[in-house]
């Protein structure tokens, strides 16, 4: 049976697994910053998953299943992810940076069939690997090995993950501090970087030290406006969610236990979505005891 969010969140191995996962996602950001920008905010992250799901669900023999701008907008609007204009602008940006491409250009512009480029799929597969590895660390499973043996299951697995993310309230409507960052460009990476620097031995503290000292260096590495990042950090500080152990800019930043718990709760819910999708995708081909 798939792990529940509660089972994941309370497991002793969860934090170290999530931290390794965060470092893997940070590596993807460092090596493919343009592609990582697809997932720069939660809205764009969900838009990216919608596009991938449409790509994988298309039937080459049935034109009604082709991914087009019109179909993308329709799914985005039906799931209340973004406005029509935002969805259309997102697709045009993906086309501009060769993250997606036209299959053909015949007919009306919004009816041109699209597909995700192979390079995009290969990079996204790293996201799948990172999450399956975390789940395996929690229950000593073999999901990643199973997936590596059956990479052809990606077109089945990813749409199920997308469906789960779109309907998971805990992922789409996180609480307080977490929600401050999900609308910031690269906000997810900001939180991953903060939490990846936490010593698991300190996770029980009310104020948990991170590895971040300089906001300027942090902003430069993230390619963010220092002013914009500082404003978000100030908002989080006002909530009591972050602060500095000593003098600001000359000591490490801490995160509150509440912020830490919010982050871990969202990670647990996301991992549970991935696990449920994996279980459904591989149910027919996985024999008892192989997980």
């Amino acid at each position: 049976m798939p792990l529940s969010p509660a089972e994941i969140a309370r497991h002793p191995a969860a934090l170290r697994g999530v931290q390794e996962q965060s470092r893997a996602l940070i590596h993807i950001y460092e090596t493919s910053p343009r592609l990582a920008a697809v997932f720069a905010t939660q809205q764009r992250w969900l838009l990216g998953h919608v596009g991938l799901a449409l790509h994988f669900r298309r039937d080459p023999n049935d034109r009604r299943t082709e991914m087009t701008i019109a179909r993308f907008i329709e799914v985005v609007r039906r799931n209340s992810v973004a406005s029509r204009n935002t969805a259309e602008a997102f697709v045009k940006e993906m086309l501009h940076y060769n993250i997606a491409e036209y299959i053909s250009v015949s007919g009306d512009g919004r009816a041109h069939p699209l597909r995700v480029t192979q390079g995009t799929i290969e990079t996204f597969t790293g996201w799948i690997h990172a999450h399956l590895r975390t789940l395996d660390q929690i229950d000593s499973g073999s999901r990643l090995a199973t997936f590596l043996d059956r990479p052809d299951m990606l077109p089945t697995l990813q749409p199920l993950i997308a469906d789960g993310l779109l309907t998971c309230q805990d992922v789409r409507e996180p609480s307080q501090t977490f929600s401050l960052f999900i609308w910031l460009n690269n906000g997810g990476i900001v939180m991953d970087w903060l939490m990846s620097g936490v010593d698991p031995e300190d996770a029980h503290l009310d104020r948990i030290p991170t590895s971040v000292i300089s906001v300027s260096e942090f902003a430069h590495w993230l390619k963010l406006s220092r002013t914009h990042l500082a404003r978000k950090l100030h908002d989080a500080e006002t909530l009591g969610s972050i602060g500095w152990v000593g003098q600001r800019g000359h000591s490490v930043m801490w995160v509150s236990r509440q912020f830490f718990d919010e982050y871990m709760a969202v990670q647990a819910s996301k991992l549970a979505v991935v696990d449920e999708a994996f279980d459904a995708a591989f149910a027919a081909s996985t024999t008892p005891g192989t997980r």
Side-chain angles (χ1 to χ4, degrees):
M1 293 291 292
L3 295 168
S4 70
E7 288 174 320
I8 294 170
R10 67 170 176 257
H11 197 282
L15 174 55
R16 291 188 187 277
V18 166
Q19 286 182 313
E20 287 187 27
Q21 171 186 301
S22 296
R23 294 183 191 111
L25 299 180
I26 289 168
H27 178 70
I28 291 173
Y29 172 82
E30 290 177 324
T31 55
S32 306
R34 177 61 64 188
L35 181 56
V38 175
F39 301 100
T41 67
Q42 176 166 291
Q43 184 184 63
R44 292 171 65 85
W45 179 65
L46 289 171
L47 288 169
H49 273 289
V50 168
L52 283 163
L54 285 170
H55 168 88
F56 286 128
R57 279 180 165 144
R58 78 190 194 284
D59 179 351
N61 299 315
D62 186 351
R63 294 196 62 183
R64 294 172 298 178
T65 67
E66 289 177 339
M67 178 168 62
T68 63
I69 293 178
R71 283 199 73 217
F72 179 80
I73 291 172
E74 189 270 323
V75 175
V76 166
R77 296 281 287 157
R78 186 170 69 238
N79 288 281
S80 302
V81 178
S83 68
R84 177 182 300 274
N85 289 342
T86 297
E88 185 167 4
F90 178 83
V91 175
K92 289 180 178 178
E93 183 180 350
M94 298 307 99
L95 289 166
H96 178 74
Y97 289 112
N98 199 38
I99 291 167
E101 62 188 3
Y102 284 120
I103 298 173
S104 71
V105 292
S106 59
D108 176 72
R110 288 196 175 189
H112 293 164
L114 305 164
R115 64 186 170 200
V116 178
T117 60
Q118 187 58 36
T120 301
I121 293 171
E122 290 172 1
T123 302
F124 172 74
T125 302
W127 186 94
I128 296 285
H129 290 174
H131 288 77
L132 295 182
R133 186 179 294 111
T134 301
L135 288 163
D136 286 345
Q137 290 176 333
I138 290 172
D139 68 357
S140 301
S142 58
R143 298 169 188 79
L144 180 56
T146 300
F147 181 73
L148 291 174
D149 284 342
R150 292 288 310 279
D152 58 299
M153 291 298 291
L154 179 61
T156 302
L157 176 59
Q158 189 282 327
L160 294 174
I161 293 175
D163 291 346
L165 294 174
L166 289 171
T167 57
C168 182
Q169 184 175 354
D170 290 340
V171 170
R172 294 197 58 176
E173 298 180 16
S175 54
Q176 208 170 26
T177 311
F178 196 99
S179 63
L180 276 179
F181 289 97
I182 60 175
W183 292 99
L184 173 70
N185 277 345
N186 297 319
I189 292 294
V190 169
M191 289 186 285
D192 286 341
W193 185 265
L194 285 171
M195 300 304 177
S196 67
V198 165
D199 185 336
E201 297 298 323
D202 293 332
H204 67 284
L205 299 174
D206 290 333
R207 294 180 173 182
I208 306 170
T210 71
S211 60
V212 175
I213 296 178
S214 169
V215 174
S216 295
E217 290 180 8
F218 195 24
H220 177 73
W221 176 78
L222 289 164
K223 299 179 178 61
L224 288 173
S225 158
R226 184 196 182 284
T227 301
H228 192 41
L229 177 59
R231 187 180 303 118
K232 286 293 181 183
L233 292 175
H234 175 73
D235 291 343
E237 188 175 8
T238 300
L239 289 172
S241 300
I242 67 162
W244 280 262
V245 172
Q247 184 180 355
R248 184 195 303 270
H250 298 278
S251 62
V252 299
M253 185 185 297
W254 54 259
V255 295
S256 71
R257 180 61 184 272
Q258 180 178 342
F259 184 17
F260 173 83
D261 288 344
E262 288 177 16
Y263 175 83
M264 289 300 294
V266 173
Q267 297 303 317
S269 294
K270 181 179 61 170
L271 284 162
V273 166
V274 173
D275 200 21
E276 185 173 0
F278 179 91
D279 192 71
F282 283 85
S285 58
T286 304
T287 56
T290 60
R291 293 188 65 224

